[in-house]
Amino acid sequence: MKYLLALLLGMATLSLGFGYADTAYVYTPSAENLKARGEFADNKFGIFLHFGLYSMLGQGEWIMTNQNLDHREYRKLAPAFYPIRFDARAWVQAFKDAGARYICITTRHHDGFSLWNSAAAPDYNIVNSTPFGRDLLTELAEACREAGLKLHFYYSHLDWDSEDYPIGRTGRGTGRDTVYNYDRYFDFMNRQLTELLTNYGPIGAIWFDGWWDHDADPGFDWRLPEQYDLIHRLQPSCLIGNNHHQVPFAGEDIQIFERDLPGENKAGLSGQDIANLPLETCQTMNGMWGYKIKDQNYKSADELIRYIVGAAGRNANLLLNIGPQPDGALPEAALERLQAIGDWFDVYGETVYGTRGGDVSPRDWGVTTRKGDTLYVHILNWPDRALCLPALTQKVKQAQTFPAGKAVRFRQNAQGVCLELPETPFGPDYVVRLILSGK
């Protein structure tokens, strides 16, 4: 109970950081929101999708600014965008079979192109500006409802195309005017967010990105409290996360880590303190977020499974990214790994779903997860048949391998619990299930 209570309570007022001028803002999450936080933390695994005009060029989602493409020339991609193999139901079925419980898609990335029929951007969206002419989000939302998966929306705060967006530290070579109107841009974003939260049914989360574009400009005010209030008013249970690489701001419901597990900072983007909120780490399946034709450096299925387990042992979800091909199909290499992950979840799902980080903090050998009086010991890297855990507050009643159910001999004293494994640990995740006493 203590694990659930700590998660649900969250923190009403957190670090405000640069670009968040209203230091008096206080956020009190609703009952619906607190319930949604717990459900989110139970889900453990989601699929991230980076898809848009940039997919056509096969150079990743940052192609416009990496190559200093003029935004007016970049717009000319839209009349040729026709993802003929896009099939929302096939996408969702593949993700569900892989064990994912939710999907997050880039509704509008930094290039400013909208993947839905946006009245706020009538001349630059997938329905009005492309021969495809279909609202991709409508189809995806319907497929998610049918399959019972939650749908989350990524939304970029920055825009390399809009003349109203104040130029930050990126996108300076895209040919925009240096004169801007943030009031107008802020209104535009809120009209788009209103569309996303009123036209597509219940949305699990809004996943913001781009705040860091003005991280060297502490006087810039994003006016996030007003925007966060709008979202919570439209859908109280909709969670807000912001990939700003800071301690969460007031009004946010989840904490995001990029390319690192909570507590790690190998990629240099996740050095922030860990807040008392549901956690999510996003990671690529290969090297890029958007489709890159030369990037075939896919992580193995075993590595991805260990990442899912490592996140769960740190009380976090894994949001695993796929960059669909320009034609709308999912890469075969991604589908192969999804199938392997799904096969693993079919057997080991109970050791991850609905759990929280276990009594033993992450170690070099692996992690633990916990559900009720069951502690799952996930051995990810250990060459021996004996493994000693630090002291536990409860007595171990029973120990056995999972799922085979082989008895595991153990000795417990004030210093810890030593497990005598029936075999040398093997596979991507060797699990021992400990049943603990209530005292």
Side-chain angles (χ1 to χ4, degrees):
M1 178 59 72
K2 65 180 180 181
Y3 307 99
L4 181 60
L5 184 60
L7 176 68
L8 293 179
L9 288 178
M11 293 179 67
T13 306
L14 296 165
S15 172
L16 299 182
F18 294 129
Y20 202 89
D22 189 356
T23 56
Y25 179 68
V26 175
Y27 168 54
T28 302
S30 66
E32 302 101 308
N33 188 281
L34 293 175
K35 181 174 183 291
R37 292 184 189 189
E39 293 172 349
F40 173 83
D42 286 342
N43 288 335
K44 288 297 179 286
F45 182 45
I47 296 294
F48 210 179
L49 295 164
H50 277 68
F51 190 53
L53 294 185
Y54 46 83
S55 305
M56 299 171 65
L57 300 179
Q59 296 297 317
E61 73 287 353
W62 276 64
I63 180 65
M64 187 199 294
T65 189
N66 283 347
Q67 297 295 324
N68 286 328
L69 304 179
D70 188 283
H71 71 110
R72 288 155 294 205
E73 293 299 312
Y74 183 90
R75 274 178 170 250
K76 295 177 183 178
L77 292 171
F81 187 49
Y82 194 83
I84 191 170
R85 295 179 64 193
F86 167 71
D87 183 336
R89 287 181 173 82
W91 275 18
V92 170
Q93 191 61 54
F95 304 149
K96 184 175 183 178
D97 289 347
R101 297 290 178 87
Y102 62 97
I103 297 167
C104 183
I105 187 168
T106 53
T107 64
R108 188 183 75 112
H109 206 265
H110 308 328
D111 62 355
F113 180 74
S114 300
L115 279 185
W116 77 99
N117 189 15
S118 175
D123 62 340
Y124 200 39
N125 70 59
I126 195 170
V127 174
N128 297 331
S129 307
T130 79
F132 186 67
R134 289 153 49 191
D135 190 318
L136 188 145
L137 299 189
T138 292
E139 297 181 25
L140 195 59
E142 290 175 354
C144 283
R145 280 194 294 273
E146 291 173 1
L149 268 62
K150 291 277 190 179
L151 181 60
H152 298 187
F153 286 153
Y154 169 110
Y155 189 86
S156 174
H157 268 132
L158 75 89
D159 192 323
W160 295 325
D161 177 75
S162 173
E163 298 286 0
D164 287 331
Y165 173 73
I167 294 177
R169 64 174 168 87
T170 68
R172 290 179 172 268
T174 62
R176 291 174 303 146
D177 199 322
T178 56
V179 178
Y180 64 88
N181 187 327
Y182 187 68
D183 286 342
R184 190 159 55 204
Y185 181 73
F186 185 71
D187 176 70
F188 161 76
M189 287 195 294
N190 288 345
R191 284 186 288 130
Q192 284 210 312
L193 289 166
T194 299
E195 293 172 3
L196 292 173
L197 291 168
T198 55
N199 295 334
Y200 300 96
I203 302 303
I206 296 293
W207 205 101
F208 284 116
D209 195 16
W211 176 95
W212 35 260
D213 200 39
H214 284 276
D215 55 10
D217 179 12
F220 182 73
D221 181 11
W222 285 98
R223 295 166 59 184
L224 295 182
E226 182 180 343
Q227 196 166 70
Y228 290 176
D229 280 347
L230 170 69
I231 294 168
H232 288 135
R233 184 169 64 252
L234 290 171
Q235 290 200 26
S237 63
C238 181
L239 306 176
I240 294 175
N242 197 324
N243 188 38
H244 44 46
H245 312 142
Q246 307 289 312
V247 174
F249 303 155
E252 295 168 11
D253 306 298
I254 62 176
Q255 183 175 12
I256 296 169
F257 297 84
E258 181 177 350
R259 292 189 184 270
D260 269 310
L261 297 171
E264 297 181 348
N265 193 24
K266 298 175 183 177
L269 299 171
S270 301
Q272 67 270 33
D273 291 338
I274 300 174
N276 191 19
L277 290 173
L279 309 177
E280 178 186 73
T281 184
C282 58
Q283 179 60 279
T284 55
M285 188 176 280
N286 49 359
M288 295 295 294
W289 301 101
Y291 178 72
K292 186 174 182 179
I293 196 168
K294 289 187 176 181
D295 184 7
Q296 295 301 310
N297 188 27
Y298 280 81
K299 300 170 183 67
S300 69
D302 283 359
E303 183 178 355
L304 295 172
I305 289 167
R306 286 193 290 269
Y307 216 92
I308 292 168
V309 174
R314 291 166 174 82
N315 214 29
N317 295 3
L318 175 63
L319 184 63
L320 181 62
N321 183 76
I322 298 171
Q325 297 169 179
D327 61 2
L330 301 175
E332 284 299 322
L335 289 171
E336 291 171 2
R337 284 153 179 79
L338 289 178
Q339 182 175 347
I341 292 170
D343 291 343
W344 180 86
F345 265 113
D346 285 344
V347 177
Y348 292 92
E350 80 165 62
T351 72
V352 173
Y353 293 133
T355 65
R356 299 295 182 265
D359 302 50
V360 181
S361 60
R363 297 292 199 269
D364 289 342
W365 53 259
V367 297
T368 61
T369 56
R370 180 162 179 168
K371 187 187 302 179
D373 286 328
T374 301
L375 183 69
Y376 299 98
V377 180
H378 298 265
I379 304 173
L380 307 177
N381 179 32
W382 190 247
D384 302 321
R385 289 181 57 179
L387 176 65
C388 290
L389 311 178
L392 301 177
T393 58
Q394 293 174 272
K395 290 184 177 180
V396 178
K397 293 168 55 179
Q398 184 183 60
Q400 56 184 205
T401 62
F402 182 93
K406 296 179 183 178
V408 175
R409 298 180 62 184
F410 64 91
R411 290 176 288 108
Q412 183 175 21
N413 56 35
Q415 283 68 50
V417 179
C418 285
L419 306 176
E420 299 178 17
L421 306 175
E423 62 223 338
T424 302
F426 58 88
D429 180 27
Y430 186 93
V431 180
V432 175
R433 178 170 55 190
L434 305 182
I435 306 300
L436 307 179
S437 69
K439 297 180 181 180

